[in-house]
Amino acid sequence: DGGITQSPKYLFRKEGQNVTLSCEQNLNHDAMYWYRQDPGQGLRLIYYSQIVNDFQKGDIAEGYSVSREKKESFPLTVTSAQKNPTAFYLCASRRTAEGGSPLHFGNGTRLTVT
Amino acid sequence: AQSVTQLDSQVPVFEEAPVELRCNYSSSVSVYLFWYVQYPNQGLQLLLKYLSGSTLVKGINGFEAEFNKSQTSFHLRKPSVHISDTAEYFCAVTLGINAGGTSYGKLTFGQGTILTVHP
């Protein structure tokens, strides 16, 4: 079955360390997205990519970085510059970047930084 | 820019009762509207979407939503809920194709409504 795989499901890191969250999709979707979810705040867009080798900042990109070297993969690095990194991170993809195309989500990675 | 307001952060109901989860959006141009459901520690799953046409949209699991342009609302309803409907529900909006184009179809999410169904 096609879908989006995020790994690991739970991740623990010490403050000051960079950490990379994996996102792989086999849906042949062009567009991929990273969202951050905090209780009571909905989903906030971190980065997005409409096509391979291209990506754009979302609303809360500070302290994060991404790459899109392959269509299937869109890893997110949470750097030590992110002031409050503990959160639930969701990766999503859609067939095209056009608004009517619905998002498909992975099952998320819960990151805890102490 | 578009925005979404979900009017209730929590909605408790009894099993087999009807439920309405309220969503209002703000946009000066045409929009596409979505409802997603999230079960604990999982990603979001699409319930239904409104792109154009009939204002009453039917989705999965017996849910439906009505697009009301004059009231800028897209409320989600189910006539009889089940224990398994307990989850968090998100309304989301993006600009429509006739809105002059958007660089990436940005989806703006509401803050979520936690639906708890009691036996």
Side-chain angles (χ1 to χ4, degrees):
Chain A
D1 286 340
I4 300 176
T5 301
Q6 290 188 244
S7 61
K9 190 171 179 64
Y10 299 95
L11 191 53
F12 299 87
R13 279 294 182 270
K14 295 288 188 185
E15 203 173 300
Q17 293 179 333
N18 292 355
V19 61
T20 297
L21 282 59
S22 171
C23 177
E24 302 279 332
Q25 56 100 356
N26 61 5
L27 298 166
N28 200 32
H29 286 174
D30 285 330
M32 296 188 74
Y33 303 80
W34 274 105
Y35 287 90
R36 171 181 171 138
Q37 185 177 17
D38 297 281
Q41 295 194 47
L43 277 70
R44 293 182 290 169
L45 182 64
I46 305 172
Y47 266 97
Y48 65 97
S49 168
Q50 296 183 70
I51 199 165
V52 176
N53 293 321
D54 182 63
F55 51 83
Q56 305 294 332
K57 292 181 179 180
D59 300 320
I60 56 165
E62 185 176 349
Y64 299 98
S65 66
V66 294
S67 63
R68 186 86 187 277
E69 297 175 0
K70 298 187 300 181
K71 188 174 186 177
E72 302 80 19
S73 179
F74 192 42
L76 173 74
T77 296
V78 184
T79 76
S80 57
Q82 167 50 231
K83 294 177 183 177
N84 186 18
T86 294
F88 190 51
Y89 291 88
L90 286 162
C91 179
S93 70
R94 66 193 339 176
R95 186 173 53 82
T96 73
E98 195 274 324
S101 179
L103 286 173
H104 297 252
F105 284 85
N107 280 330
T109 292
R110 189 169 297 281
L111 173 64
T112 303
V113 177
T114 58
Chain B
Q2 67 270 28
S3 66
V4 180
T5 301
Q6 290 184 241
L7 297 164
D8 306 292
S9 59
Q10 297 192 50
V11 173
V13 293
F14 287 107
E15 196 173 15
E16 298 183 5
V19 70
E20 178 179 80
L21 305 184
R22 298 181 293 167
C23 172
N24 283 95
Y25 68 92
S26 173
S27 174
S28 59
V29 295
S30 66
V31 295
Y32 297 145
L33 292 154
F34 304 81
W35 275 99
Y36 287 86
V37 60
Q38 184 181 33
Y39 299 102
N41 292 314
Q42 292 187 24
L44 278 68
Q45 179 182 348
L46 181 68
L47 271 179
L48 48 79
K49 62 183 179 181
Y50 171 79
L51 304 183
S52 64
S54 173
T55 57
L56 183 63
V57 180
K58 294 190 182 297
I60 63 171
N61 301 341
F63 283 93
E64 63 181 31
E66 185 160 17
F67 171 60
N68 188 319
K69 188 175 181 179
S70 62
Q71 297 188 10
T72 61
S73 68
F74 191 55
H75 300 334
L76 181 71
R77 301 185 182 101
K78 186 169 183 178
S80 175
V81 294
H82 192 266
I83 296 285
S84 59
D85 292 322
T86 294
E88 189 162 16
Y89 293 79
F90 292 93
C91 182
V93 63
T94 189
L95 297 181
I97 194 167
N98 296 321
T102 180
S103 61
Y104 58 96
K106 178 184 176 182
L107 203 58
T108 300
F109 286 86
Q111 294 179 326
T113 298
I114 296 173
L115 173 65
T116 304
V117 181
H118 298 284

